[in-house]
């Protein structure tokens, strides 16, 4: 991150977003979510409460699920950022397929945040228990589904990963 003396209050940032290098000059107070949506057109990251409560803006920075509304874009300088658009590794694809198969979304507003949270948690070895899935998702609000189908989808993915591991 390099302050730009010609443009007061702006900074230059570099990061990898969904595997692609990004180099931009932005206002120092731009949130990461606003940067991704407004500057890069990655509108899959949703904004609900904009103060860290609803989880809709959850995305991954260096493999860790974070609130995009609470993190400044400059704080992601030099980082690897992954949004729902870039959730295309085997686990990400499995989660998306399971959400479709289990009808785990209705309006879809919460879905990118749910996927990012589950991607991090399952990737880190989340226990194959409904209670553990619910605890992992406790910071992600859904106003439509009643959560059961989301937990079903997560459990499908966890069990499939366990079966694959057992078969090795
Ligand atoms: S928009 Fe970030 S937590 Fe709600
Ligand atoms: S599917 Fe509508 S808020 Fe979750």
């Amino acid at each position: 991150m390099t302050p730009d003396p010609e443009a007061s209050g702006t900074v230059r940032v570099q990061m990898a977003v969904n595997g692609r290098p990004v180099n931009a000059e932005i206002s120092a107070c731009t949130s990461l979510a606003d940067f991704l949506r407004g500057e890069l057109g990655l509108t899959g990251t949703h904004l609900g409460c904009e103060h860290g409560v609803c989880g809709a803006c959850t995305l991954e920075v260096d493999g860790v699920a974070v609130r995009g509304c609470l993190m400044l874009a400059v704080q992601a300088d030099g980082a690897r950022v992954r949004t729902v658009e870039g959730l295309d590794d085997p686990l990400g694809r499995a989660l998306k397929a399971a959400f479709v198969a289990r009808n785990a979304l209705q309006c879809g507003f919460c879905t990118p945040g749910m996927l990012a949270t589950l991607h991090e948690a399952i990737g880190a070895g989340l226990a194959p228990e409904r209670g553990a899935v619910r605890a992992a998702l406790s910071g992600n609000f859904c106003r439509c589904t009643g959560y059961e189908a989301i937990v079903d989808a997560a459990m499908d993915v966890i069990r499939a990963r366990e079966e694959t591991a057992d078969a090795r």
Side-chain angles (χ1 to χ4, degrees), residues 46-57 67-70:
H46 292 164
L47 282 167
C49 66
E50 297 194 59
H51 57 269
V53 175
C54 73
C57 64
R67 302 289 209 228
C69 71
L70 294 184

Side-chain angles (χ1 to χ4, degrees), residues 2-119:
T2 308
D4 182 351
E6 302 273 323
S8 177
T10 68
V11 289
R12 183 158 291 281
V13 293
Q14 296 182 336
M15 61 187 80
V17 179
N18 298 332
R20 296 190 178 166
V22 170
N23 186 331
E25 186 177 305
I26 58 172
S27 165
C29 59
T30 303
S31 76
L32 180 57
D34 281 340
F35 174 63
L36 294 167
R37 290 175 55 85
E39 300 293 325
L40 304 185
L42 295 171
T43 54
T45 297
H46 292 164
L47 282 167
C49 66
E50 297 194 59
H51 57 269
V53 175
C54 73
C57 64
T58 308
L59 49 89
E60 288 184 9
V61 175
D62 287 336
V64 177
V66 303
R67 302 289 209 228
C69 71
L70 294 184
M71 187 170 186
L72 296 173
V74 297
Q75 292 176 293
D77 187 49
R80 290 175 293 108
V81 175
R82 175 147 58 185
T83 69
V84 69
E85 292 91 343
L87 211 57
D88 56 3
D89 63 348
L91 176 55
R93 291 198 301 274
L95 280 166
K96 289 178 179 178
F99 267 57
V100 172
R102 286 290 192 168
N103 201 22
L105 65 157
Q106 291 180 28
C107 78
F109 195 83
C110 69
T111 309
M114 293 283 183
L115 291 170
T117 299
L118 287 170
H119 188 267

